[in-house]
Structures are given as structure tokens and as C-alpha cells.
Amino acid sequence: MAAARTWEGEIARRKAIEKAKTVSKSVFLNAFFIVIAFLTLLPIIYAFGISFGESNSLLSSSLSLFPERWTLENYISLFEDYDILTWFGNTLLLAVSTVVLVLAISIPAAYAFSRFRFHMRGATIRFLIILNAFPSVLSLYSVYTLVRELGLSNSIGGLLLVYVGTMAIFGLYNLKGYFDTIPYEIEEAARMDGCSTFGVIMKILLPLARPALAVTGVMVLIYVWNEYIFAVTFISNPDFYTLASGLYGLQAQESTGSWPVFFAASLVVSAPILLVFMLAQRHMVSGLSAGGVKE
Amino acid sequence: MKKKEGFRRFEREARPWLFASLSLLTILLVVVFPIGHTVYLSFTNMGIYNYYDYSLIGFGNYLDAFSLGSASFLRSLGITILWTALNMALQLVIAYVLAVLLNSPHLRLRKLYKALLMIPWAMPGYVSILLWKNGMFNGQFGYLSKIFSLLGVDVDFLSNDIMAFLSCTVVNLWLALPFMIMIIDGALQSVNRELFESAELDGCNAIKKHLFVAIPSIVPIVSPAVLITLFTTFKQFDIVNLMTISPVGTGAHIETVIVYAYQQAFITGNYGYSGAVATLIFLLVVLSTVFFDPSFRKKGAKHGSR
């Protein structure tokens, strides 16, 4: 097949090579990312498989990720033999109350640090930044002492206090950053019309700051949902278990409990927050960067 | 007249504090008081043997921190430095490679892959850690254990120091990579394409192109996020705690400083000594925050106007 090499033939041949290169690159890249995505999701896929399998299938040595016989028994057992609904209710109650309280105390504080100029303002802000860098685990025992001395140990109230206090700095700082981006002139116009400071905050500032309020609220919600060390350390009464302390307890019963139920619970615990995360993700980056960095 | 002016001034100074009072009081109670209490305990001999009748002992706990034998503060400090350095290096390299590949023009499904790679970020951290511990590393039915035993190797992932350290590193990468990939991916998209092309024309090969063009131009964009990650890696507590200590110790001793402070309080019951360790870490964190956080530089420049 020694056909004369015309210009057209040469160009077509080069194009074909180029295309083959592109295709092989694309095949390679897709194969690579399918493997990476699979490895990334492996712990979740495996948990999913176990949670739908029979409890004795766990110890089989096969590498199959999915059960031979699918069953809902672990999920049913989770709701019948364990108080996951109580844990869920406690977590939801804590999450919603923490969000409401953090916003309620942070809005006026953020307003003050954004709009007023007073002695110790800058120093207080820097002090709060330092406090926020403190890993709260380090003072866990002292926080525990505080909660005990206030008579709040083993109660939802004790956890609520700790969560609100822990997130108060973030709430203040994030909202202040956003308030700073709202021009003062808008407020002045309302003041001319006889609006009080309270009115200005409620009617002018908060509607404008809605993205920052949403982001702050979602971040606090995620924090509470994902928090386990306070929940595990402070609560020993099963009536007040959160999802975190409940799940933690499920794995502790290695000899008696059922691992498939533990894996089912892991997925049930994660599902709502995955949903919140997916819904909020797009807005989150903008609301945070708008609030976070500026002083 | 003068009196009224004085009142006005008082009002002007007091009003912001009144607005901020609930927030600041809560922070004082829940954050500041426990820190102060921890520092106070660090100067006492409080422990399980003298839980109620402890007394001030000066700097004794601090001296202990720097002089105890093998299972000491200094060892955990070394582990923390190793942990932070290894994790940051792996994270940056892997995230960079994945972000570059995700940006390849030949990849049509990049949005799908990105979404899948972000999932670990959205999972509750403690659930992910427990899924790894019980689902992947468990000696009886962990998936990785199964794979290795089919290969004829029995690996104990969590009971010896080196394997536990590596296992925790894997989990940390799993948890932290999505954020880093997202940051580097965003930065790469802002890199000037023309710069890349002119580098190609100048005869740069692929490696040079990344080393001398892409990486220098994304460094300023990613450095704040890298700094934040450096801090979170240093302060990482949940992984080592849940993987090797709680609820039951696995036998490995890879405590980083924060885990060490926690363990000294809640497992060994040396509250005073734990307080000293906590105070030392806190000082370290404060110093580096003051050093790195932009709010502590350029003093005065920002506070003048309005």
C-alpha cells in the first residue's frame, strides 16, 4: 500500500494520529478518575453493602462489596431496637436551637463591631481571633467542670451552652465581615426618616445580609451535627444521646452489638447533612469569602 | 451642658458593649473561663489521687513535660511535627496532580468526577473516621484486611505505631484532600493560559512548565488556604483519638500533642499535667496565629477610617 503521499494524505494522517492521541488520553484520564472515584467512595460503598446484608455475611472472606441476599433487617432493627429517633430528635433540637441562639447573640454584637468605633475595639477583635485558634479539646476538662458546676451535666442544656459559646466567635466574626461590606449610607437614609437602631438592623441590615445569615446558620448547623467529643464526654444518659453519642455507643458493643446495624446507622446519620451540604455548597463559598477575610 | 456631654460620651462608649454583651459574656463563660481554669490547673498537682485536695505547685508540671521519659510531651511533639509535615507534603502533591488532571481539556466528565471527589468533605468527620476504622481497618472484617489476607499477608493496621500512623495518614488525606483539590483547582483556572503557551514556545517541557509557570502563579492564591490547612493538620485530634484511643485503646501510641493532652486528662487522670501541656500548645498556637494572621500585621492602617 505504497500510495503516493500527497499533501492531503499527510494532513489526514497527522490528524488521525492527533485524534488517536486525544482519544487515548481521554480514555486514560477517564479510567484514572473512575479508579480514583471508586477508591474515594470505597469506605462508603462497603458500609452500604454491609448495612443491607445479613449479619452473618460479614465474616465471609469474599471481596464482594454487595451482599448475596439483600435485607432491610439492620435498618429495621436500628429503629426498633435502638432509640435512633430519640438521638435524631435531640440532635435536631440542639442544632436548631444553637443556630437560633448563635444568630440572636451574634447579630447585635456584629453590628456593634462593624458600625461603632470605641475603645478596645481592635484589641477585642484580635483577642477573639486568638481565642478562635484555641483547640477546644485542650480545655475539655475545664469545660466539663464548668458544665458540672452549673448543674447542667448530662443534659441537652449543657451541650447547648457549650455549642453556642464555641460557635459565638465564628458567628460574630463572619457576620461582622459581611456587615462591613454593606455601605453605611443606606442606614443613614433610613435614620433620616426616623428609624431607630433596632429598626435599622431589622428592616435594612438583616434583609441585605441574608446570604451571610444563611451561611452562618448552615455552618453552625453542620458544626453541631458533626460534633462528637462534647456529646460523648458530657452525656451518659441514653435519653439525651445525640446521633454522635448514639453511633459512638453502637461501635462500643463489639461483643454484643451488631456491626451491620452500626454501618446502617452511619449512613442514616450522614444522609441529612450530606443533603444540607449539597444544597448549600454553591452559596457557601460566596457567603464565606464575603464574610471571612475582611476586617 | 458639660454633664450632658459627659453622658453622651459614656453612652457612645457603653452602647457597643451593651450590643455585644450577650455574645461576649457567652464567650467569656464557655471559652475564656475554661482556658483560664486550664492554665490555673497547670500550676496545681490535681490528679486522680488528689482530686479534691490539690494544691499549687508552681512550674512542676512544666518541668515534667520537658523531662519525662519515653512517653512524654516531647515525643508527642515530634510525632506532631512528623504528622504535620508528612500530611501537608502528601496533600499538596496529590491535590496538585489531581487538580491538574481534572483541568485537562480531554476530560469531559470533570464535573461528575469533581462532585464525587467532594463527597468525603460533606460527610460528618467522625462518621468517616469510624467507617475507616471499622469498615476498612478492622482486623476481622475490614475490607483492607480482607484484601491483604487474600494476598497472604496479615496486616495489623491499628495496633503497632508505624502502621497506625500510616493508617491515620490515609484517613486524614481522605478527609482533607477534597478541600485542597478544590482550592488548587480554583487557582489553576485563574492561571494565565497565554503564559503557559509562551512557556511551551520557549521550549519548556511539561515538568518545567509546572515548576516554573503554574506553581509560582498559584502560590499567592492558595497560600491562605494552605496556611489554614497547616493549622488544622497540626490541631487534628479526631483521627488519632478515634482510630487508636477511643473507646478502647488499640495498642498503638502515636499521640500528637493535642491527643496527648486529652489522654493525660481523661485517661490517665493527670489534670494538672494535662493543663500544662495544653497551655504550652496554646502558647505555640497563639504565637503562630499572631505571626501568620494578617489581622496582626499592618497595625493601625485599617482602623483609621469611619
Side-chain angles (χ1 to χ4, degrees), chain A residues 22 25 29-30 40 46 60 63 116-119 133-134 141-142 148 226 228 244 248 251 259 262 277 295, chain B residues 13 16 37-38 46 51 104 106 113 124 126 134-135 141 143 146 174 235 238 241 246-247 282 303 306:
Chain A
T22 312
K25 260 188 190 171
L29 273 174
N30 278 299
T40 304
Y46 188 55
S60 83
L63 286 182
F116 301 143
R117 291 295 173 268
F118 48 96
H119 282 299
F134 182 81
Y141 177 71
S142 294
R148 195 187 54 205
N226 296 356
Y228 79 96
Y248 185 82
Q251 61 150 3
W259 281 110
F262 164 82
F277 202 90
E295 210 216 314
Chain B
E13 282 297 321
H37 188 251
T38 304
M46 185 186 186
Y51 192 76
S104 154
H106 307 292
Y113 295 128
Y126 74 92
N134 300 318
F141 56 84
Y143 201 66
K146 279 187 186 180
W174 194 83
K235 293 196 282 189
D238 300 338
N241 176 45
S246 304
F282 187 38
H303 299 290
R306 203 196 74 231

Side-chain angles (χ1 to χ4, degrees), chain B residues 144-157:
Chain B
L144 291 177
S145 310
K146 279 187 186 180
I147 291 178
F148 278 96
S149 73
L150 278 188
L151 295 173
V153 201
D154 267 332
V155 189
D156 225 338
F157 286 102

Side-chain angles (χ1 to χ4, degrees), chain A residues 111 115 182-197 199-201 203-205 208, chain B residues 306:
Chain A
Y111 183 84
R115 290 301 195 245
I182 300 173
Y184 188 61
E185 287 70 24
I186 298 176
E187 271 179 54
E188 261 175 349
R191 274 183 204 281
M192 296 283 190
D193 295 341
C195 216
S196 66
T197 303
V200 166
I201 295 180
K203 288 188 198 137
I204 314 276
L205 211 61
L208 285 173
Chain B
R306 203 196 74 231

Side-chain angles (χ1 to χ4, degrees), chain A residues 22 25-26 29-30 32-34 36 40-44 46-47 58 60 62-63 65 105 108-109 111-114 116-119 121 124 126 129-131 133-135 137-143 146 148 161-162 165 168-169 197 225-226 228-229 233 243-244 247-248 251 259 262-263 266 269-270 273-274 277 295, chain B residues 13 15-17 19-20 22-23 26-27 29-35 37-38 41 46 51 98 101-102 104 106-107 113 116-117 119-124 126-127 130-132 134-136 141 143 146-147 150 174 235 237-238 241-242 246-247 258 261-262 266 271 278 281-282 285-286 289-290 293 295-296 303 305-306:
Chain A
T22 312
K25 260 188 190 171
S26 150
L29 273 174
N30 278 299
F32 176 77
F33 274 107
I34 288 170
I36 292 287
T40 304
L41 298 182
L42 186 60
I44 302 168
Y46 188 55
L58 200 59
S60 83
S62 93
L63 286 182
L65 285 167
I105 63 172
Y111 183 84
F113 280 98
S114 171
F116 301 143
R117 291 295 173 268
F118 48 96
H119 282 299
R121 174 182 171 277
T124 310
R126 280 190 287 272
I129 292 175
I130 288 184
L131 283 184
F134 182 81
V137 183
L138 289 181
S139 57
L140 189 62
Y141 177 71
S142 294
V143 177
L146 171 79
R148 195 187 54 205
L161 176 71
V162 174
I169 300 175
T197 303
W225 208 276
N226 296 356
Y228 79 96
I229 191 77
T233 313
L243 287 171
L247 186 69
Y248 185 82
Q251 61 150 3
W259 281 110
F262 164 82
F263 286 104
S266 304
V269 168
S270 310
I273 214 68
L274 276 173
F277 202 90
E295 210 216 314
Chain B
E13 282 297 321
R15 196 172 52 167
W17 295 108
F19 272 58
L22 276 178
S23 171
T26 316
I27 293 168
L29 184 69
V30 180
V31 183
V32 179
F33 167 76
I35 294 176
H37 188 251
T38 304
L41 286 184
M46 185 186 186
Y51 192 76
L98 287 178
L101 291 177
L102 273 175
S104 154
H106 307 292
L107 198 64
Y113 295 128
L116 291 176
L117 292 185
I119 288 179
W121 190 24
M123 292 277 291
Y126 74 92
V127 176
L130 294 182
L131 283 185
W132 272 95
N134 300 318
M136 296 285 109
F141 56 84
Y143 201 66
K146 279 187 186 180
I147 291 178
L150 278 188
W174 194 83
K235 293 196 282 189
F237 166 78
D238 300 338
N241 176 45
L242 287 175
S246 304
I258 291 194
Y262 169 83
F266 283 89
Y271 300 103
I281 307 167
F282 187 38
V285 172
V286 169
T289 306
V290 171
D293 197 293
S295 336
F296 291 88
H303 299 290
S305 61
R306 203 196 74 231

